Amino acid sequence: MHESRVPTVIPTTPFPDQKPGTSGLRKPVSVFQQPRYLENFIQAVFDSLPDHEGKTLVIGGDGRFFNAEAVQIILRMACANGIARMLVGKGGLLSTPAVSCLIRKHKAYGGFVLSASHNPGGAHGDFGIKYNIGNGGPAPESLTETIFAASRTVSRFRIVAAPHCDLGRIGSCRLNATAVEVVDPVADYAALMESLFDFDAISGLLKSPDFRMRFDAMNAVTGPYAKAILEDRLGAPAGTVVNGVPLPDFGGLHPDPNPVYAADLCAAMKGPDALAFGAASDGDGDRNMILGANAYVTPSDSLAIIAAQAHLVPGYAGRVAGIARSMPTSRAADRVAAALGVPCYEAPTGWKFFGSLLDAGKATFCGEESFGTGSDHVREKDGLWAVLYWLNILAKTRRPVADILAEHWAKYGRDYYSRHDYEGLDADAAAKLIKGLRAASLKGKSFGGRTVTLHDDFSYTDPVNGEETSGQGIRVVFDDGARIVYRLSGTGTSGATLRVYLERFESAPTAQGQDTQAALAELIGLSREIAGLAARTGRETPDVIT
Ligand code: G1P
Ligand code: ZN
């Protein structure tokens, strides 16, 4: 055997900080560029999967800085660790939902997503890795704990010395004993979308001269997907997709589809000349923001409306088994579930907690307030799926987004909802704030006419597999149903971010047209008072409001 074909075992020493967070391992690029850092983590993944030899894995990423190098390293490590076949997106690109789709379609053993999602990219930005299991979804907590434990003791990693694979052309090549198949990143995903939605109706809408829309891919991975599906397949005018070429630094944009970071798009959706429909997606394509002319759909409302309008969508009509939402997501979906006569599950933050519910057929739709919506078609949230779902609703109803919202609220009531993020806090001060909130005895106390009826730290027992999770966020619920939730981000890479989730229910249609921050003003004040926010963090106002 030629020397370069022999797997090489390289000694290493552990890094202490390779604990996956809410969604995989995320660190500044400079951390991942340290010698052995990436290799250690990947070896820890292989060491945590005892039966991986001879299997197929999928790999691709959002194209951010370090994506190209990381793919080549992981391919050579997969080969050295005995993986038989690797499916790679052309150019090393795959959106997160496309990885999930490919794993499922090709019955792969699992896959790697290279992304730090909506975190900024570039040489000074973040990089990340998620490992997904055979159902196409994020590794469950039990596995991420095993991987972390393995990373703490890893003493060697395996890698073959081989030239770079050419990922620029679709086709097959061999990396020693491993077959590397470079696949079209879009084809299987686009076929799945076509099987779910009424493409003829959507195409009719997109071609009608009075319907103008924009999809902002934010220079991230959904550009090629959106162009292929919206423009090439469905006939939307060229230029419908903007910022459509994935760039290593996302062109300096912060690829997080929300009113703060997609400000240009939001501006085009306001005023008398507003577009009829606007949408954006994030770095790796799993998030979405939905806008209409002078209308903003909160992700919580989007989940509720998606479920309420399932009868209009071929892939879902007559088969809604249940809805699942993350705990901090508003209760709008619960009201729709009750009306449909199906259960609504409340899970901890992070898509990994939905996998078991989806696998068991208990949930058809899932959603998070953090611009994440999805269904049982894959095991990840899916940005473009949500956009196509909304286009399917609009094509069938031919109603403006604002009317769909207003009619939904008139029927179910409106859950005014907002999230306030306090970023870059001192980690100790933030931990103390949460500790203080946990220890406080708030139940029965009154604040400005509202009395606390529930105060706890959310814990969850998975109804399918019995796995338990605790410490998932402080809930303060009042007698009028209003709610404040506090939790610390698990995706940040520096300091601590406190997320404060605020909501209150309004049943009267005449009171449903208020500005959200004004409607929540009292509750916002309370959220600061109860947590002693200014005293503990020195902050009076949040950095990001969504
Ligand atoms: C954030 C969101 C959460 C989402 C995750 C990954 O996590 O809040 O809903 O699942 O990103 O996209 P956090 O930073 O709050 O831990
Ligand atoms: Zn993402």
Side-chain angles (χ1 to χ4, degrees), residues 94-377:
L94 282 173
S95 74
T96 287
V99 169
S100 192
C101 167
L102 282 172
I103 291 173
R104 295 171 69 76
K105 182 155 182 176
H106 298 273
K107 301 196 168 33
Y109 177 77
F112 292 102
V113 186
L114 308 182
S115 173
S117 185
H118 51 287
N119 292 19
H124 304 290
D126 289 338
F127 188 74
I129 296 185
K130 302 184 272 187
Y131 179 74
N132 282 23
I133 58 174
N135 73 353
E141 223 176 29
S142 49
L143 178 54
T144 56
E145 289 297 329
T146 307
I147 294 169
F148 178 48
S151 80
R152 301 291 297 262
T153 57
V154 65
S155 59
R156 50 89 190 97
F157 63 85
R158 296 197 175 91
I159 189 160
V160 296
H164 275 192
C165 295
D166 177 6
L167 304 182
R169 265 182 302 124
I170 290 170
S172 305
C173 61
R174 290 208 82 80
L175 186 60
N176 300 341
T178 305
V180 177
E181 289 174 30
V182 181
V183 300
D184 177 344
V186 180
D188 285 337
Y189 177 82
L192 177 59
M193 293 301 109
E194 187 157 5
S195 75
L196 298 172
F197 299 112
D198 188 335
F199 267 31
D200 288 343
I202 298 175
S203 184
L205 177 73
L206 295 181
K207 287 177 183 162
S208 63
D210 52 346
F211 184 84
R212 293 182 306 138
M213 74 160 282
R214 183 187 295 178
F215 179 90
D216 191 337
M218 304 187 88
N219 300 321
V221 79
T222 31
Y225 294 86
K227 274 194 196 153
I229 297 173
L230 296 174
E231 296 186 7
D232 301 345
R233 173 68 185 79
L234 290 165
T240 297
V241 177
V242 303
N243 297 320
V245 178
L247 300 174
D249 65 348
F250 306 122
L253 293 185
H254 188 154
D256 199 359
N258 64 40
V260 178
Y261 297 120
D264 283 358
L265 175 68
C266 291
M269 303 307 301
K270 287 188 184 129
D273 196 33
L275 303 174
F277 184 70
S281 191
D282 72 330
D284 60 329
D286 57 357
R287 294 186 172 202
N288 73 91
M289 178 171 66
I290 301 294
L291 302 156
N294 300 297
Y296 163 65
V297 184
T298 68
S300 296
D301 279 346
S302 185
L303 174 64
I305 292 169
I306 280 171
Q309 303 289 351
H311 58 281
L312 300 176
V313 183
Y316 301 95
R319 65 163 204 91
V320 181
I323 309 174
R325 63 167 172 82
S326 69
M327 182 274 282
T329 301
S330 96
R331 269 88 40 100
D334 304 39
R335 305 179 205 290
V336 175
L340 292 174
V342 299
C344 188
Y345 300 92
E346 184 177 44
T349 299
W351 211 261
K352 61 186 170 203
F353 292 104
F354 294 140
S356 59
L357 295 168
L358 291 164
D359 283 351
K362 287 181 179 295
T364 304
F365 299 113
C366 302
E368 294 196 273
E369 53 66 42
S370 52
F371 300 84
T373 14
S375 86
D376 56 4
H377 69 292

Side-chain angles (χ1 to χ4, degrees), residues 22-23 26 117-118 287 349-351 368-370 381 419 487-492 499 501:
T22 313
S23 184
R26 270 184 217 179
S117 185
H118 51 287
R287 294 186 172 202
T349 299
W351 211 261
E368 294 196 273
E369 53 66 42
S370 52
K381 58 193 182 231
R419 184 176 105 184
R487 61 178 282 283
L488 296 181
S489 161
T491 57
R499 306 204 192 283
Y501 308 82

